[in-house]
Amino acid sequence: ARRPSPAVALACAASLAALGACASPALASDLASSAAETAATTGSLTDGFLSAFLLIFFSEIGDKTFFIAVLLATQQSKGSVFAGTFGALAVMTVISVGIGQVFHVAEEASGALLSTDVPWDDYLAIALLLFFGIQTLLSAEEETAEEEEEDAKVAVAGMEFDGATALIISTFALVFAAEWGDKSFIATIALSAAASPVGVALGGTAGHGVATGIAVLVGDVLGDVVSERVVKYTGGALFILFAIATALDIK
């Protein structure tokens, strides 16, 4: 069943506290308490939105597609780069939510066929979220941003654009290919199988939009303001918290 989970409030509080601490420690506690109160009093649509938004945002900051947008935005029209990057990520989000729903429908159909109510789609979501959470936490002490940036440079190198339309289409294709099978893509599938698909689609799209906007506007100086370790620890903790939330929601 898809119902509100108190763990969402904890995840929202933790993530916003981390963001507040990066920018202004004085705001951290206010942001955290506000997020916890909001998440605790709203329904599954909002749960899905917040879960997807936070997971996608922290997954995308500093990853390959983020640096592709950063590099292109320093050389080309920021508006066109944003349109191509965000368009690809939005389409990818819809596709991954659709795949998640296929798993959910298959689980319901097989349950009816076999007269069992074992929610294997939820168990799969829990396993994936735990895997990504542990993997992210274990890699938190590793400086991977430079490696991701180098991969992005290789992908962007030699690209030529004849006008805004060509730039948007080329950026869309490049980002779409880079994002396919990525951690955020699979995480969205897992969330969609266990949470509100509309909420996950909206939240995932919003998370990509904010992360892409940051990449295009201030991505080249973000490393001087936000610690890569903080982003990874927060992202890893969120994956694990939402895995726990999903487990607690299983009836």
Side-chain angles (χ1 to χ4, degrees):
R2 291 168 173 167
R3 56 185 177 80
S5 168
V8 173
L10 178 59
C12 295
S15 59
L16 288 179
L19 281 176
C22 290
S24 173
L27 296 176
S29 60
D30 289 341
L31 288 171
S33 60
S34 174
E37 182 180 352
T38 301
T41 57
T42 51
S44 59
L45 179 65
T46 304
D47 287 353
F49 179 92
L50 289 172
S51 301
F53 178 88
L54 293 171
L55 285 183
I56 294 302
F57 179 79
F58 281 100
S59 295
E60 287 300 306
I61 294 295
D63 111 340
K64 183 178 177 179
T65 53
F66 181 88
F67 283 115
I68 288 175
V70 171
L71 294 170
L72 288 176
T74 60
Q75 306 167 15
Q76 307 292 335
S77 163
K78 293 183 184 296
S80 296
V81 171
F82 178 85
T85 303
F86 177 65
L89 295 173
V91 170
M92 189 69 72
T93 299
V94 173
I95 291 173
S96 54
V97 168
I99 294 173
Q101 283 305 288
V102 169
F103 280 112
H104 183 69
V105 171
E107 180 269 322
E108 290 186 335
S110 63
L113 214 69
L114 302 174
S115 299
T116 177
D117 57 356
V118 176
W120 59 263
D121 59 334
D122 287 341
Y123 290 130
L124 177 61
I126 292 168
L128 287 171
L129 292 171
L130 281 175
F131 171 76
F132 286 130
I134 294 170
Q135 181 189 57
T136 303
L137 290 176
L138 291 176
S139 67
E141 295 298 327
E142 302 174 6
E143 297 292 333
T144 58
E146 290 185 6
E147 182 180 340
E148 295 284 0
E149 186 174 4
E150 287 302 316
D151 289 343
K153 287 179 179 178
V154 172
V156 171
M159 293 184 68
E160 296 182 2
F161 312 100
D162 184 18
T165 302
L167 173 58
I168 292 172
I169 293 173
S170 298
T171 304
F172 182 101
L174 179 62
V175 171
F176 190 90
E179 188 70 10
W180 186 266
D182 200 326
K183 178 168 63 177
S184 58
F185 175 76
I186 298 174
T188 305
I189 294 175
L191 274 180
S192 173
S196 163
V198 175
V200 171
L202 293 175
T205 302
H208 280 303
V210 173
T212 302
I214 291 173
V216 169
L217 295 175
V218 295
D220 52 341
V221 298
L222 187 65
D224 298 329
V225 180
V226 179
S227 165
E228 182 184 350
R229 290 176 60 195
V230 169
V231 172
K232 284 189 174 182
Y233 277 124
T234 305
L238 282 172
F239 275 112
I240 293 173
L241 282 172
F242 288 125
I244 295 171
T246 302
L248 292 175
D249 283 348
I250 295 176
K251 289 184 176 180

